[in-house]
């Protein structure tokens, strides 16, 4: 398979198209990005590395980071996690409050904001220095020590994070948050502010394609890895998870920085970045690029 040519074709086909998306501005600092950035990187399980466009430029990974925090919590807590957070698609936006009240403060899944906040609470209980420990975990997976938080983005989100504050306080009232809400929010905002390139993200997602193994280290066991992929498949795109399955057919995770990381277990990882988002908060062009990729390669999991 000539992946480089396929990426080139996708890029040429989509670069000039009318991008109907909009850059996220509810976190003011994210609005400063050049909206025309566009990159894709694909890494095969046997090490083939293919990139096009801005694939080496770092961007705000936002909710893609929830996959790393969940992996770390899953590694430590295993099945005990599922008493605090569910594994069902929410069918609601990532920052929705309504369902959380109906369901007594137990988030539907770990990828909506409420669920990710519960995971941050659990890691705050367990880790000595949660921010640094998660950052080091990400650095190890990506093989790059210079990956870091963007403190301006974290601060900007803290200042404008009214909905996240509402979500965490509601969960605290139901007893599903153990630690101080400001401490957990601070951890969450830093986590979301991590900056990585498509290339680095595709490296760091490779263990999901490789039965949980990173280099020679088992990060998650085979069953946990399958379940992480199942969660990405059913919940990774919030109320657009069905659409992503329908059009792309890979487990994956999006972020409001415009990134999408996806996995074909046993075959490859692929990451796209284009900052303009559709109305569900997923990258407009990224969704299209991955749809064309799995169509041209005939490599989706279905
Ligand atoms: N930090 C963002 C928020 O909490 C993450 C949302 C996302 O990427 N979907 O709103």
């Amino acid at each position: 398979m000539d992946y480089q040519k396929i990426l080139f074709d996708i890029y040429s086909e989509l670069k000039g198209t009318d991008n109907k998306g909009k850059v996220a501005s509810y976190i003011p600092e994210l609005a400063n990005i050049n909206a025309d950035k566009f990159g894709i990187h694909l890494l095969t399980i046997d090490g083939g590395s293919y990139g096009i466009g801005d694939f080496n430029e770092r961007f705000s990974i936002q909710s893609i980071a929830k996959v790393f925090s969940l992996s770390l919590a899953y590694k430590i807590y295993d099945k005990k996690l599922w008493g605090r957070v569910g594994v069902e698609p929410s069918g609601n936006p990532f920052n929705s409050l309504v369902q959380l009240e109906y369901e007594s403060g137990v988030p539907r899944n770990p990828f909506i904001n409420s669920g990710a906040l519960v995971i941050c609470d659990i890691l705050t209980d367990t880790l000595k220095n949660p921010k640094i420990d998660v950052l080091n975990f990400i650095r190890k997976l990506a093989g790059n020590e210079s990956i870091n938080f963007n403190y301006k983005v974290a601060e900007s989100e803290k200042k404008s994070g009214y909905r996240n504050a509402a979500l965490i306080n509601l969960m605290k009232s139901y007893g599903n948050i153990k630690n101080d809400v400001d401490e957990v929010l601070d951890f969450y905002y830093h986590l979301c502010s991590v900056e990585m390139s498509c290339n680095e993200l595709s490296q760091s997602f490779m263990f999901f394609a490789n039965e949980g193994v990173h280099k020679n280290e088992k990060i998650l066991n085979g069953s946990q890895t399958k379940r992480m992929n199942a969660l990405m498949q059913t919940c990774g795109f919030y109320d657009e998870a069905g659409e992503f399955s329908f059009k792309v057919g890979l487990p994956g995770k999006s972020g409001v920085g415009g990134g999408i990381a996806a996995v074909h277990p046993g075959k490859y990882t692929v990451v796209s970045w284009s900052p303009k988002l559709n109305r569900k908060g997923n990258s407009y062009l990224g969704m299209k690029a991955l749809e064309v990729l799995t169509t041209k390669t005939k490599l989706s999991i279905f």
Side-chain angles (χ1 to χ4, degrees):
M1 182 92 62
D2 191 346
Y3 287 112
Q4 192 59 50
K5 170 157 190 335
I6 291 172
L7 292 189
F8 179 81
D9 289 347
I10 298 171
Y11 191 80
S12 337
E13 196 176 313
L14 294 180
K15 184 82 174 128
T17 58
D18 179 24
N19 189 335
K20 298 196 175 61
K22 283 203 174 71
V23 171
S25 57
Y26 75 101
I27 302 172
E29 195 62 31
L30 289 185
N32 295 332
I33 194 75
N34 173 349
D36 296 328
K37 293 285 174 183
F38 184 30
I40 313 174
H41 188 260
L42 187 144
L43 186 66
T44 60
I45 193 144
D46 50 12
S49 171
Y50 311 90
I52 189 96
D54 304 309
F55 69 95
N56 274 324
E57 192 169 322
R58 287 183 177 161
F59 58 93
S60 193
I61 69 169
Q62 291 296 320
S63 282
I64 300 174
K66 295 170 180 172
V67 178
F68 300 123
S69 50
L70 178 64
S71 299
L72 204 52
Y74 202 14
K75 190 177 171 61
I76 301 168
Y77 274 84
D78 200 26
K79 296 186 184 72
K80 278 182 283 178
L81 274 186
W82 313 125
R84 301 270 307 270
V85 58
V87 294
E88 289 296 338
S90 66
N92 274 308
F94 60 83
N95 54 7
S96 168
L97 279 146
V98 281
Q99 202 165 44
L100 197 57
E101 168 139 48
Y102 285 128
E103 299 180 358
S104 308
V106 179
R108 272 284 172 107
N109 68 65
F111 293 146
I112 48 176
N113 288 11
S114 51
L117 287 164
V118 166
I119 297 299
C120 285
D121 184 55
I122 291 172
L123 289 176
T124 302
D125 271 344
T126 325
L127 303 174
K128 224 175 174 176
N129 195 337
K131 276 195 243 176
I132 298 302
D133 291 350
V134 176
L135 187 60
N136 284 338
F137 180 60
I138 296 173
R139 286 172 169 170
K140 175 172 79 179
L141 293 175
N144 194 324
E145 289 298 307
S146 71
I147 289 168
N148 217 333
F149 305 119
N150 180 324
Y151 294 96
K152 268 189 169 170
V153 170
E155 193 52 36
S156 175
E157 188 167 6
K158 185 182 286 187
K159 281 198 185 130
S160 54
Y162 305 111
R163 295 193 75 90
N164 287 322
L167 288 166
I168 198 166
N169 278 290
L170 186 60
M171 292 191 288
K172 181 93 181 168
S173 78
Y174 283 107
N176 200 17
I177 293 289
K178 313 286 176 213
N179 297 279
D180 175 64
V181 293
D182 289 330
E183 187 183 348
V184 179
L185 281 175
D186 180 69
F187 174 26
Y188 173 79
Y189 293 142
H190 281 83
L191 178 67
C192 290
S193 81
V194 168
E195 293 185 330
M196 295 170 81
S197 65
C198 295
N199 190 351
E200 289 161 346
L201 274 168
S202 65
Q203 310 276 347
S204 60
F205 265 60
M206 188 38 84
F207 76 98
F208 295 117
N210 193 30
E211 293 174 11
V213 178
H214 165 73
K215 306 222 162 114
N216 286 321
E217 186 189 346
K218 206 156 191 67
I219 304 289
L220 294 175
N221 67 38
S223 160
Q224 289 170 326
T225 308
K226 270 195 279 185
R227 288 174 174 196
M228 286 293 303
N229 287 333
L231 279 170
M232 284 195 259
Q233 188 76 48
T234 53
C235 311
F237 299 81
Y238 321 111
D239 45 342
E240 205 167 38
E243 184 90 1
F244 193 80
S245 284
F246 188 68
K247 292 196 169 149
V248 180
L250 296 173
K253 185 75 205 78
S254 61
V256 291
I260 297 179
V263 182
H264 192 312
K267 291 207 163 58
Y268 65 84
T269 59
V270 62
V271 179
S272 61
W273 173 46
S274 163
K276 288 188 182 174
L277 311 177
N278 65 23
R279 282 192 297 181
K280 305 276 168 119
N282 299 316
S283 172
Y284 180 88
L285 216 55
M287 295 265 291
K288 292 212 179 306
L290 298 187
E291 180 182 353
V292 180
L293 175 77
T294 54
T295 306
K296 283 190 190 289
T297 58
K298 300 192 179 72
L299 288 174
S300 91
I301 66 159
F302 297 107

